[in-house]
Amino acid sequence: GGAAVGDGGVARLLEGLAERQERAHEHLYDWLLRHLSLSPPSSPPPHLEEEYWDALDDSLSSPSVRAVLRVLRAAPSLHAHATELVAGERRRAVARRFLRALTEGCDGRPAMEVGAHDPPGYVGEMLAYCHRTLSVERETARMLLGDGDGEAPALLPNGDVMLMGPADMLHHAVGGLARPLRARILRVAAALAIDPEEGVDAGTGRDVADALSGTEGAGTEPAGRYRVAALYSVCGLLLFYRGAVGKAVARLGPDSTAATEDDGGDDDVGRGAALTGAILHCLRECTDSYARSLALHSSRLVAYAASSSSNEGTAGLALSLVAQLCEVRSNSPGFSIDIPGLEETEARLSTDAVADAALGAAVAGGADDAEGLEALQMALGTARIAGLSDACTTKWEDVLREKEAGLAEAAVGGMLAKALADRGLRDLTEALARYRRTGGELPASSYPGLDGDSVRRGVAAFYASLFVPSELGLEAIRSLQARAGARTAVEEE
C-alpha cells in the first residue's frame, strides 16, 4: 500500500511539474508576442511603418527572444505558431519595404522606378535589392532558429508538428519579394520584346527602347538591336542573381537548398523558395522573349539594309548585332556561371545562338561582295573572342570559305577581261570568239579583226604592255589561297 501511495505521489508530482512547465511555456509565449507586438498582429499607419519595422528588427535581435524561442522548442505547437507569426511579420516588412523602395526610395536612394527608362539598370537594381534583403533575412533566421554554434538545424519533427527551421523562415520572409519582382521584370520583358506585327520603319512613335537607342521609329534597326541587347543583358542579370541567391541560401546548411528549384508557381507556401522560383520563371520568360526577338530582328536585316534609313549592308548590320551582343555578354558575369538544370536556357543564350542567327540571316540575304564577306569574317572573329564553340566556329569558317571561293570564281571573268585589255589582246580575243561562232568556214586571216594588220597591232601592244604591271583587282579577296587560285585561273585563261 505504501508503494502504491508513493507511486501516486510521484505521478502527481510529475503531473504538477508538467502543468507548471506548460504554464511557463505559455507565459513565455505570451511575453514573446507582447514583446514583438504580435498579439494581435498590428498594421501600423503608413507614416509610422518604417519606425515599426525598425523596432521589430531591434526586438528580434534581443538575446531574450532567441532564448525564449530555444526554450519553446519543448512546446512544439507554441514554437510553430510563434515562428509562423514572426515569419509572416518579416514577410510583410520585406514586401512593404520593397514597394517603398520602388516608389519612394529608401536609405537615401531615389525610387527605383525613376530608372525604369533603363531596363537593364532597373532590373539590376531590383535584383540587387532582393539579394541584399535575402542576406539580411538569412542572418535573422539563423540568429532566431539556428543552433547555439550558429549552424542551421534540419527540420525537427516533434509529434504531429514540424518545427520551422531557418531555411523555412528565410524562404517565407523573402517570398514577399517574389510577386512584385516577377510582375515588374515580366513587364520589362514584354516592353522590350519585338512585335512581329511591327514593320520595318513603321511609324514614328517613340517608346522606351527607341528613346534610349536614339532612334525615331519603333521599326528602325538601331531600336530593334537595342531591344535584343537589353533583353540579353536582363537574362545575364537573372542568371547571375539566380546563382548568387542559391549561394546565399546554401550558407544556412546543406538542407537549406532543397526547395530552391521551385518553379515559383505558388509564392504563398511558407516552405517553398518563392524568390528563387520567381527569378527562374523570369529567366525562362526573358529567354523566350530574347530568342524570339533575336530571330525576328535577324530575319529583318535584309529589309533594314534595303531601307532608306540604313547606310550599311546586310553583313554590316549583322556585324553590329554580333558586336553589341558579344559586348553585353563580356560585361555580364552571369553568362560565365554554370547552373545545374539550366543547360537548355544557357544554350539558347550562348554565343553559338547569336552567330547562327546573325550570320545565317546575312548569308541567306546574299552578302556576296568583298565588303560584306569581310564584315562577316569580322563578326565571326568577334563571336569567337566572346566564347563561340569550336564546332560552330568550324561550321561558319567553312561557309565563309565557300562564299569567298565563289566570290573569287565570279571575279575571274572580270579580271580576265581587264588583263586582256591591259595586254592589248582584247580586240583579238573578241574577234576570235566571233569567228568561232561562224563555224570556221572562211580562213581566219580573212575574218575582220583577225587579218595580218590586226594581229601585228595586237602582238605589238602585247609586247609593249609587258613592261607595265597589270592590276588584276585581286586585293578584294582576303584569303591568300583564294587569291592565288584566282590569279592562276586568270593566267590559264
Side-chain angles (χ1 to χ4, degrees):
V5 172
D7 292 341
V10 171
R12 287 191 297 272
L13 177 62
L14 293 176
E15 184 178 352
L17 289 175
E19 291 176 356
R20 292 188 184 93
Q21 188 176 35
E22 184 176 349
R23 286 196 298 271
H25 287 154
E26 291 175 354
H27 289 322
L28 289 175
Y29 172 77
D30 293 337
W31 175 87
L32 181 64
L33 298 190
R34 289 195 305 271
H35 182 70
L36 300 178
S37 301
L38 299 178
S39 179
S42 58
S43 297
H47 65 284
L48 296 178
E49 274 188 346
E50 197 61 36
E51 296 180 7
Y52 173 76
W53 304 131
D54 290 341
L56 179 61
D57 292 342
D58 294 339
S59 299
L60 289 174
S61 62
S62 170
S64 301
V65 171
R66 299 198 298 272
V68 168
L69 286 174
R70 191 172 294 110
V71 171
L72 286 180
R73 289 185 180 184
S77 59
L78 298 179
H79 184 277
H81 190 247
T83 52
E84 287 175 2
L85 288 176
V86 171
E89 202 68 9
R90 297 304 300 169
R91 183 186 179 97
R92 288 178 54 207
V94 165
R96 292 293 300 169
R97 282 172 167 168
F98 182 46
L99 293 175
R100 175 167 293 182
L102 285 169
T103 57
E104 300 177 17
C106 65
D107 300 330
R109 297 187 179 94
M112 284 187 276
E113 291 189 345
V114 172
H117 62 279
D118 176 16
Y122 177 49
V123 172
E125 193 170 357
M126 287 192 294
L127 290 171
Y129 179 92
C130 292
H131 184 258
R132 291 195 301 268
T133 301
L134 177 76
S135 300
V136 172
E137 293 303 316
R138 180 195 65 212
E139 296 308 315
T140 300
R142 188 203 303 272
M143 175 184 64
L144 292 176
L145 300 180
D147 289 341
D149 58 359
E151 293 298 324
L155 299 182
L156 303 176
N158 194 319
D160 295 331
V161 179
M162 184 73 75
L163 298 185
M164 180 178 287
D168 296 297
M169 177 173 284
L170 172 63
H171 291 315
H172 188 87
V174 299
L177 300 170
R179 193 183 298 274
L181 177 69
R182 181 170 58 229
R184 282 159 176 80
I185 293 180
L186 294 183
R187 187 172 62 190
V188 168
L192 289 174
I194 297 178
D195 185 1
E197 302 299 327
E198 186 180 89
V200 177
D201 285 335
T204 57
R206 294 175 62 85
D207 60 6
V208 172
D210 300 329
L212 284 172
S213 58
T215 62
E216 292 295 336
T220 59
E221 191 278 333
R225 177 159 35 93
Y226 171 81
R227 290 184 177 189
V228 175
L231 280 169
Y232 199 43
S233 180
V234 169
C235 291
L237 288 168
L238 290 168
L239 278 172
F240 174 76
Y241 280 102
R242 169 60 186 87
V245 166
K247 291 179 180 178
V249 174
R251 293 182 182 178
L252 283 175
D255 297 329
S256 60
T257 58
T260 57
E261 298 302 327
D262 185 82
D263 62 0
D266 185 1
D267 58 359
D268 294 321
V269 179
R271 297 185 188 276
L275 178 59
T276 304
I279 293 176
L280 284 173
H281 179 73
C282 292
L283 176 60
R284 296 188 185 103
E285 292 296 325
C286 289
T287 300
D288 289 342
S289 296
Y290 159 76
R292 289 193 300 267
S293 298
L294 175 62
L296 188 58
H297 182 77
S298 299
S299 67
R300 293 177 173 178
L301 290 180
V302 176
Y304 286 136
S307 66
S308 58
S309 61
S310 175
N311 297 322
E312 296 184 84
T314 305
L317 296 179
L319 171 60
S320 299
L321 176 63
V322 172
Q324 187 162 352
L325 293 182
C326 288
E327 182 181 4
V328 170
R329 185 179 184 88
S330 299
N331 294 334
S332 177
F335 292 110
S336 60
I337 300 175
D338 293 328
I339 302 177
L342 294 180
E343 290 78 9
E344 182 180 354
T345 298
E346 291 173 347
R348 300 177 71 187
L349 297 173
S350 66
T351 313
D352 291 10
V354 174
D356 288 342
L359 297 183
V363 170
D368 296 326
D369 58 342
E371 184 178 354
L373 186 60
E374 182 177 3
L376 293 181
Q377 289 169 337
M378 292 177 61
L380 182 60
T382 302
R384 189 170 187 177
I385 293 174
L388 191 67
S389 68
D390 293 339
C392 192
T393 300
T394 302
K395 178 183 72 173
W396 285 109
E397 282 179 345
D398 293 341
V399 171
L400 296 183
R401 192 176 297 112
E402 291 179 4
K403 296 285 288 185
E404 190 167 31
L407 178 63
E409 183 178 353
V412 165
M415 295 175 187
L416 177 60
K418 184 177 184 302
L420 292 175
D422 291 343
R423 299 305 182 191
L425 298 177
R426 181 171 60 184
D427 294 340
L428 286 176
T429 55
E430 291 177 352
L432 180 60
R434 291 195 301 269
Y435 172 72
R436 288 174 177 173
R437 286 196 295 270
T438 64
E441 296 178 356
L442 298 175
S445 59
S446 63
Y447 192 82
L450 295 178
D451 56 273
D453 292 338
S454 298
V455 171
R456 282 192 294 272
R457 285 195 303 270
V459 172
F462 172 75
Y463 281 110
S465 68
L466 295 179
F467 299 97
V468 180
S470 175
E471 295 293 335
L472 297 181
L474 298 173
E475 293 76 11
I477 304 177
R478 295 187 60 195
S479 172
L480 296 179
Q481 183 178 1
R483 187 183 304 178
R487 184 183 298 276
T488 302
V490 172
E491 292 175 352
E492 289 177 352
E493 292 290 335

